[in-house]
Amino acid sequence: MPFVRIDLPDTVSQEDAQALGDAVHQALVASFEVPPDDRFQVLARHPPGALVCTPAYLGVQHSARAALVQITCSFGRTLAHKRALYAGIAQNATRAGFAAADLIVHLVETARENWSFGEGVAHYAPAAS
């Protein structure tokens, strides 16, 4: 049930953006045990000036291809799961042509009751009594 938003400079091709989306999804399946068909993503490419990414932070150097990856998911993953996710995204993305240093990942956790997958239904909320 993760919802993924990937923001990239528009100099990154649509094909490379899709490859990064694939890389993130593969890492979610492997480290968060997300079902393979549970894929909800927004891949957004932005013109110059619309994305702000410092050139260096915490000793990590970012290039002009830096991608901001935000993953919204439910609570419950351990720190080990999260570390595996970050490492998996970096590993998969390098195979897709991205530098590991260019992947800024932000994980947002929310209660399961905050999800609806259509038809106005809170699919993961307990049934009303």
Side-chain angles (χ1 to χ4, degrees):
M1 88 169 130
F3 179 84
V4 176
R5 180 175 179 95
I6 302 173
D7 292 284
L8 302 146
D10 64 3
T11 55
V12 173
S13 71
Q14 187 60 42
E15 294 78 18
D16 285 353
Q18 185 63 48
L20 182 55
D22 294 343
V24 171
H25 186 68
Q26 291 164 3
L28 283 164
V29 170
S31 58
F32 274 25
E33 299 178 4
V34 169
D37 65 341
D38 184 354
R39 186 171 179 170
F40 301 91
Q41 297 183 335
V42 174
L43 305 174
R45 294 166 47 234
H46 301 278
L51 289 179
V52 177
C53 179
T54 189
Y57 187 68
L58 298 176
V60 179
Q61 303 294 316
H62 304 121
S63 80
R65 283 177 52 95
L68 305 176
V69 180
Q70 185 175 54
I71 302 169
T72 303
C73 62
S74 63
F75 291 104
R77 274 64 176 221
T78 66
L79 180 55
H81 286 116
K82 294 172 187 178
R83 285 182 171 149
L85 173 67
Y86 304 145
I89 291 171
Q91 182 179 26
N92 295 345
T94 57
R95 288 194 298 263
F98 287 85
D102 282 337
L103 304 167
I104 296 93
V105 181
H106 176 221
L107 191 62
V108 179
E109 295 175 303
T110 184
R112 293 176 63 86
E113 67 198 36
N114 294 333
W115 294 86
S116 174
F117 293 91
E119 299 181 353
V121 176
H123 290 89
Y124 294 136
S129 42

